[in-house]
Amino acid sequence: MPERRTVALVTLGCARNEVDSEELAGRLAADGWELVENAEDADVAVVNTCGFVEAAKKDSVDALLEANDLKDHGRTQAVVAVGCMAERYGKELAEALPEADGVLGFDDYSDISNRLQTILSGGSVEAHTPRDRRKLLPLSPVERQAAAAAVALPGHGVVDAPAPAATPASAPEDVPSDLPDGLAPASGPRAPLRRRLDSSPVASVKLASGCDRRCSFCAIPSFRGSFVSRRPSDVLNETRWLAEQGVKEVMLVSENNTSYGKDLGDIRLLESLLPELAAVDGIERVRVSYLQPAEMRPGLIDVLTSTDKVVPYFDLSFQHSAPDVLRAMRRFGDTDRFLELLETIRSKAPTAGARSNFIVGFPGETEADFAELERFVAHARLDAIGVFGYSDEDGTEAATYEQKLDQDVVDARLAHLSRLAEELTAQRAEERIGETLEVLVESVDDEDGAIGRAAHQAPETDGQVVLTTSDGGSPDVAPGRMVMAKVVGTEGVDLVAECLFEEAGR
């Protein structure tokens, strides 16, 4: 009988990392590893790191150190770093953090089982040498698909296999994606190589990987590579498989969803894919995240605001609204154009959700620039706002800029805009009092009661809905159920809504 090997995946960062972790889980489960929830119960703790900004990198290091502490008093024998920070820094991270028993890059993912087994057995796996992953694929997007098979693209794992059956014994994640020649199934649809790590009724699906934009503050393209779309059939098959696992909402993620299809010869491919995803049996809600304002098209707005089960939700990456700052960021737009875009959206879907992130204190940002950003935020009526203070990122163009602001100025502007954002999003929530919402129930427990989200709220990043009954109690609902509810109050950005059981949803 094979020796029992256990592994836990600790995921930090964005929803894209969550998809990558579930692909790693699928690969490991396919090779006989037992997945456990808690790192202290695992032989190997795999930490999927984030390498986007300084705070995220610190969280990743802290998580690795915390997992390393388990080796002194628990089952854990090894701690391994994967993900963006591991890919971005490679050997540098391994030298700076000897507590990590392995630092694995994206190229190691296809052989993750053997890598972990080597480490668990006391061997060593050389940390990879980072490289600019943009150079791994052709410059022309339409030439990339043919070359992409030779490049590691986390979250794109599939296997040519029969369509998944409903029984766990034949689920497609039990089949490795890189079987030796002669062992892979001869025909059939490409099934996802993925194993769910929780039972949430919400799951992310990767639409693409990488980014072709060259924002001066962002290092992501250098370690995630050039933009590569997934096949529409792969996205559809993965959505069908998730629906069979009980998922009710899928959220499409990538570094830039508005570019989907450009390397497949059709920049409007998302407009045709969304109705197909919405028609998948069992799926009640399709959400699109990570939209670039400069790439928004009238046809895409129409589909997002008029397709049944596709929620009118706009996660728009504005970053700033002062023209001079946007140009220095190598981005486009201004306050009035951004407000016009939001007005166009709301003319088609008055209750549409909209959120964005902003960077304050960018090199050269004047008081007038900051005031222009305040003007935009004050008039945009966004449901959720993230605010970040600028900091230099290794290898970015902005790190070389002069006119850096004093840190106390950056901190003051960050605090000021954060307070304003908190006030404005709370006001926006109050505007929704009296609205009737369709709410997806996500959790029910004795302490918090029934918690869910409406169409204008994305998981993790936005507010939530606290469900009540007419007498103020907690409704008898189960996670995964869609219910109609009327907003009767707010708690900051969160809504309090009374269930309308006579209009119960699915």
Side-chain angles (χ1 to χ4, degrees):
M1 185 174 183
E3 181 182 358
R4 179 173 181 251
R5 302 175 299 174
T6 57
V7 59
L9 288 116
V10 180
T11 306
L12 303 173
C14 64
R16 300 185 294 273
N17 258 15
E18 294 172 3
V19 177
D20 295 352
S21 285
E22 293 199 346
E23 182 186 294
L24 289 173
R27 292 182 180 276
L28 291 166
D31 204 41
W33 289 79
E34 180 182 340
L35 302 170
V36 296
E37 183 175 354
N38 299 313
E40 62 262 28
D41 299 325
D43 297 315
V44 182
V46 177
V47 180
N48 192 346
T49 61
C50 178
F52 180 40
V53 294
E54 199 61 38
K57 288 183 279 189
K58 182 181 182 303
D59 288 344
S60 295
V61 170
D62 289 346
L64 287 163
L65 293 174
E66 182 179 342
N68 182 69
D69 289 342
L70 298 173
K71 291 191 287 188
D72 295 331
H73 54 266
R75 178 188 177 97
T76 308
Q77 301 175 51
V79 175
V80 175
V82 299
C84 291
M85 189 176 181
E87 173 64 34
R88 184 176 180 184
Y89 294 103
K91 291 182 177 180
E92 181 182 342
L93 177 61
E95 292 169 1
L97 197 69
E99 291 85 355
D101 299 286
V103 176
L104 306 181
F106 297 152
D107 293 333
D108 293 305
Y109 283 19
S110 64
D111 199 30
I112 187 68
S113 178
N114 287 333
R115 299 287 193 273
L116 296 192
Q117 184 59 59
T118 296
I119 294 169
L120 184 60
S121 300
S124 62
V125 176
E126 183 178 0
H128 80 106
T129 300
R131 53 182 172 167
D132 188 339
R133 298 190 72 85
R134 290 171 294 192
K135 298 179 180 179
L136 301 181
L137 291 169
L139 184 63
S140 172
V142 296
E143 296 176 1
R144 289 179 193 158
Q145 286 290 323
V151 176
L153 297 172
H156 288 227
V158 293
V159 56
D160 294 330
T167 57
S170 58
E173 75 274 21
D174 291 332
V175 184
S177 69
D178 41 0
L179 288 171
D181 292 342
L183 294 183
S187 62
R190 289 154 56 93
L193 181 70
R194 183 169 178 174
R195 171 65 64 89
R196 296 217 68 203
L197 294 173
D198 61 40
S199 58
S200 170
V202 183
S204 296
V205 174
K206 268 202 178 178
L207 201 58
S209 286
C211 186
D212 288 342
R213 300 185 71 87
R214 294 296 178 261
C215 300
S216 63
F217 56 84
C218 183
I220 288 177
S222 66
F223 57 86
R224 278 289 184 178
S226 299
F227 186 89
V228 180
S229 302
R230 294 182 70 196
R231 298 185 192 181
S233 58
D234 289 346
V235 177
L236 275 164
N237 287 334
E238 185 164 338
T239 299
R240 293 186 185 106
W241 176 79
L242 287 168
E244 291 181 353
Q245 312 303 305
V247 168
K248 299 298 181 183
E249 175 181 328
V250 292
M251 184 168 73
L252 303 181
V253 299
S254 75
E255 279 73 21
N256 178 9
N257 280 334
T258 33
S259 282
Y260 179 69
K262 71 176 185 179
D263 52 325
L264 295 171
D266 184 1
I267 191 59
R268 294 175 175 79
L269 191 56
L270 184 57
E271 286 93 309
S272 58
L273 177 61
L274 284 171
E276 294 188 63
L277 293 171
V280 171
D281 188 32
I283 295 298
E284 302 292 351
R285 184 183 283 170
V286 178
R287 184 182 305 277
V288 183
S289 62
Y290 304 111
L291 301 170
Q292 287 291 338
E295 297 181 33
M296 290 300 295
R297 312 176 284 276
L300 180 56
I301 294 173
D302 287 343
V303 171
L304 288 170
T305 55
S306 65
T307 306
D308 185 38
K309 296 188 180 181
V310 175
V311 296
Y313 175 80
F314 293 82
D315 176 13
L316 295 161
S317 178
F318 290 121
Q319 302 299 344
H320 212 283
S321 71
D324 288 345
V325 175
L326 286 168
R327 302 305 175 271
M329 290 179 167
R330 298 203 178 278
R331 298 176 66 84
F332 306 94
D334 56 46
T335 295
D336 292 336
R337 275 190 274 183
F338 290 163
L339 290 176
E340 182 180 347
L341 171 60
L342 290 169
E343 179 58 33
T344 298
I345 290 168
R346 289 171 177 144
S347 69
K348 298 175 181 295
T351 61
R355 79 169 321 276
S356 192
N357 294 323
F358 300 96
I359 298 173
V360 299
F362 193 80
E365 181 191 62
T366 64
E367 290 186 7
D369 292 329
F370 185 65
E372 183 68 1
L373 176 57
E374 285 185 281
R375 181 171 81 88
F376 172 66
V377 172
H379 288 86
R381 296 172 60 231
L382 299 173
D383 293 279
I385 298 172
V387 185
F388 300 89
Y390 172 81
S391 62
D392 287 339
E393 282 296 312
D394 298 334
T396 62
E397 181 183 352
T400 68
Y401 286 177
E402 298 178 355
Q403 294 184 297
K404 299 285 176 61
L405 277 62
D406 290 340
Q407 190 60 48
D408 59 348
V409 174
V410 176
D411 293 343
R413 291 180 181 178
L414 173 63
H416 178 82
L417 194 65
S418 296
R419 287 193 299 270
L420 178 61
E422 186 175 350
E423 294 172 5
L424 292 170
T425 52
Q427 290 174 17
R428 178 64 179 139
E430 290 175 357
E431 292 178 19
R432 294 190 180 275
I433 292 177
E435 284 187 21
T436 298
L437 310 173
E438 188 173 38
V439 179
L440 172 61
V441 182
E442 291 192 354
S443 65
V444 180
D445 58 47
D446 294 337
E447 182 177 351
D448 298 321
I451 304 294
R453 286 180 302 100
H456 70 280
Q457 299 167 318
E460 305 297 335
T461 58
D462 301 344
Q464 59 188 17
V465 179
V466 180
L467 292 167
T468 69
T469 58
S470 57
D471 60 4
S474 183
D476 182 17
V477 292
R481 182 178 175 187
M482 301 288 285
V483 299
M484 302 303 295
K486 182 178 181 179
V487 181
V488 295
T490 65
E491 297 175 357
V493 296
D494 296 336
L495 305 178
V496 179
E498 181 181 316
C499 284
L500 305 175
F501 288 106
E502 67 274 14
E503 301 179 36
R506 295 169 287 277

